[in-house]
Coordinates of all heavy atoms in Angstrom, one line a residue:
F371 N 97.6 106.7 104.5 CA 98.5 105.7 103.9 C 99.5 105.2 104.8 O 99.7 104.0 104.9 CB 99.1 106.4 102.7 CG 99.4 105.4 101.5 CD1 98.3 104.9 100.8 CD2 100.7 105.0 101.2 CE1 98.5 104.0 99.8 CE2 100.9 104.1 100.2 CZ 99.8 103.7 99.4
K372 N 100.2 106.1 105.5 CA 101.3 105.6 106.4 C 100.8 104.8 107.5 O 101.4 103.7 107.8 CB 102.0 106.9 107.0 CG 103.2 106.5 107.8 CD 103.9 107.8 108.3 CE 105.1 107.4 109.2 NZ 105.8 108.7 109.7
N373 N 99.7 105.2 108.2 CA 99.1 104.4 109.3 C 98.6 103.0 108.8 O 98.8 102.0 109.5 CB 98.0 105.1 110.0 CG 98.5 106.4 110.7 OD1 99.6 106.4 111.1 ND2 97.6 107.3 110.9
L374 N 98.1 103.0 107.6 CA 97.6 101.7 107.1 C 98.7 100.8 106.8 O 98.6 99.6 107.2 CB 96.9 102.0 105.7 CG 96.5 100.7 104.9 CD1 95.5 99.9 105.7 CD2 95.9 101.1 103.6
L375 N 99.8 101.2 106.3 CA 101.0 100.3 106.0 C 101.6 99.8 107.3 O 101.9 98.6 107.4 CB 102.0 101.1 105.2 CG 101.6 101.5 103.8 CD1 102.8 102.2 103.1 CD2 101.1 100.3 103.0
E376 N 101.6 100.6 108.3 CA 102.1 100.2 109.6 C 101.2 99.1 110.2 O 101.7 98.1 110.8 CB 102.3 101.4 110.6 CG 103.4 102.3 110.2 CD 103.5 103.5 111.2 OE1 102.6 103.6 112.0 OE2 104.4 104.3 111.1
S377 N 99.9 99.3 110.0 CA 98.9 98.4 110.5 C 99.1 97.0 109.8 O 99.1 96.0 110.5 CB 97.5 98.9 110.3 OG 96.5 98.0 110.7
I378 N 99.3 97.1 108.5 CA 99.4 95.8 107.8 C 100.7 95.1 108.2 O 100.7 93.8 108.4 CB 99.5 96.1 106.2 CG1 98.2 96.6 105.7 CG2 99.9 94.9 105.5 CD1 98.2 97.2 104.3
V379 N 101.8 95.8 108.4 CA 103.0 95.2 108.8 C 102.9 94.5 110.2 O 103.3 93.3 110.3 CB 104.1 96.2 108.9 CG1 105.3 95.7 109.7 CG2 104.6 96.6 107.5
Y380 N 102.3 95.2 111.2 CA 102.2 94.7 112.5 C 101.3 93.5 112.6 O 101.5 92.5 113.3 CB 101.8 95.7 113.5 CG 102.9 96.8 113.7 CD1 102.6 98.1 113.7 CD2 104.2 96.4 114.0 CE1 103.6 99.1 113.9 CE2 105.2 97.3 114.2 CZ 104.9 98.7 114.1 OH 105.9 99.6 114.3
I381 N 100.2 93.5 111.8 CA 99.2 92.4 111.8 C 99.8 91.2 111.2 O 99.7 90.1 111.8 CB 97.9 92.8 111.1 CG1 97.1 93.8 112.0 CG2 97.1 91.6 110.7 CD1 95.9 94.4 111.3
C382 N 100.5 91.4 110.1 CA 101.2 90.2 109.5 C 102.3 89.6 110.3 O 102.4 88.4 110.4 CB 101.7 90.6 108.1 SG 100.5 91.0 106.9
M383 N 103.0 90.4 111.0 CA 104.0 89.9 111.9 C 103.4 89.1 113.0 O 103.9 88.0 113.4 CB 104.8 91.1 112.6 CG 105.8 91.8 111.6 SD 106.5 93.3 112.3 CE 107.3 92.7 113.8
A384 N 102.3 89.6 113.6 CA 101.7 88.8 114.7 C 101.0 87.5 114.2 O 101.1 86.5 114.8 CB 100.6 89.7 115.3
Q385 N 100.4 87.6 113.0 CA 99.7 86.4 112.5 C 100.6 85.3 112.0 O 100.3 84.1 112.2 CB 98.8 86.8 111.3 CG 97.6 87.7 111.8 CD 96.6 87.0 112.6 OE1 96.2 85.8 112.4 NE2 96.1 87.6 113.7
M386 N 101.7 85.7 111.4 CA 102.7 84.7 110.9 C 103.9 84.5 111.8 O 104.8 83.8 111.4 CB 103.2 85.2 109.5 CG 102.1 85.3 108.4 SD 101.5 83.6 108.0 CE 99.8 83.7 108.8
H387 N 103.9 85.1 112.9 CA 105.0 84.8 113.9 C 106.4 85.2 113.3 O 107.3 84.3 113.3 CB 105.0 83.4 114.4 CG 103.6 82.9 114.9 ND1 103.0 83.4 116.0 CD2 102.8 82.0 114.4 CE1 101.8 82.9 116.1 NE2 101.7 82.0 115.2
V388 N 106.5 86.4 112.7 CA 107.8 86.8 112.2 C 108.3 88.0 113.0 O 107.5 88.7 113.6 CB 107.7 87.1 110.7 CG1 107.4 85.9 109.9 CG2 106.7 88.2 110.4
L389 N 109.6 88.2 113.0 CA 110.2 89.3 113.7 C 110.2 90.6 113.0 O 110.5 91.7 113.5 CB 111.6 88.9 114.2 CG 111.7 87.7 115.1 CD1 113.2 87.4 115.4 CD2 110.9 88.0 116.4
G390 N 109.9 90.6 111.7 CA 109.9 91.8 110.9 C 109.2 91.6 109.6 O 109.0 90.5 109.1
A391 N 108.7 92.7 109.0 CA 108.0 92.7 107.7 C 108.1 94.0 107.1 O 108.2 95.1 107.8 CB 106.5 92.3 107.9
E392 N 108.1 94.0 105.8 CA 108.2 95.3 105.0 C 107.2 95.2 103.8 O 106.8 94.1 103.4 CB 109.6 95.5 104.4 CG 110.7 95.4 105.5 CD 110.7 96.6 106.4 OE1 109.9 97.5 106.3 OE2 111.5 96.5 107.4
I393 N 106.9 96.4 103.3 CA 105.9 96.5 102.2 C 106.4 97.4 101.1 O 106.8 98.5 101.4 CB 104.5 97.0 102.6 CG1 103.9 95.9 103.5 CG2 103.7 97.2 101.4 CD1 102.5 96.3 103.9
F394 N 106.4 96.9 99.8 CA 106.6 97.8 98.7 C 105.2 98.1 98.2 O 104.3 97.2 98.0 CB 107.3 97.0 97.5 CG 108.8 96.8 97.7 CD1 109.2 95.7 98.4 CD2 109.7 97.7 97.2 CE1 110.6 95.5 98.6 CE2 111.1 97.5 97.4 CZ 111.5 96.4 98.1
V395 N 104.9 99.4 97.9 CA 103.6 99.8 97.3 C 103.9 100.7 96.1 O 104.9 101.4 96.1 CB 102.7 100.5 98.4 CG1 102.3 99.6 99.5 CG2 103.4 101.7 98.9
K396 N 102.9 100.6 95.2 CA 103.1 101.4 94.0 C 103.0 102.9 94.3 O 102.1 103.3 95.0 CB 102.0 101.0 93.0 CG 102.3 101.5 91.5 CD 101.2 101.1 90.6 CE 101.2 99.6 90.3 NZ 100.3 99.1 89.3
D397 N 103.9 103.6 93.7 CA 103.9 105.1 93.8 C 102.6 105.6 93.2 O 102.3 105.5 92.0 CB 105.1 105.7 93.1 CG 105.1 107.2 93.1 OD1 104.4 107.8 94.0 OD2 105.8 107.8 92.3
V398 N 101.8 106.3 94.1 CA 100.4 106.7 93.7 C 100.4 107.8 92.7 O 99.4 108.1 92.0 CB 99.5 107.0 94.9 CG1 99.4 105.8 95.8 CG2 100.2 108.2 95.7

């Protein structure tokens, strides 16, 4: 879970040219 969220954040930052990104996910 942790590695996946980090991967999503970094990929979105690179694709959308932003300096930061965060994710809210539902408590499993």
Side-chain angles (χ1 to χ4, degrees):
F371 213 70
K372 184 178 179 181
N373 291 338
L374 173 63
L375 296 182
E376 289 180 353
S377 175
I378 292 172
V379 163
Y380 290 132
I381 285 173
C382 291
M383 287 172 61
Q385 292 294 317
M386 293 293 109
H387 310 293
V388 295
L389 297 177
E392 306 292 353
I393 291 183
F394 287 86
V395 291
K396 191 180 290 184
D397 177 17
V398 297

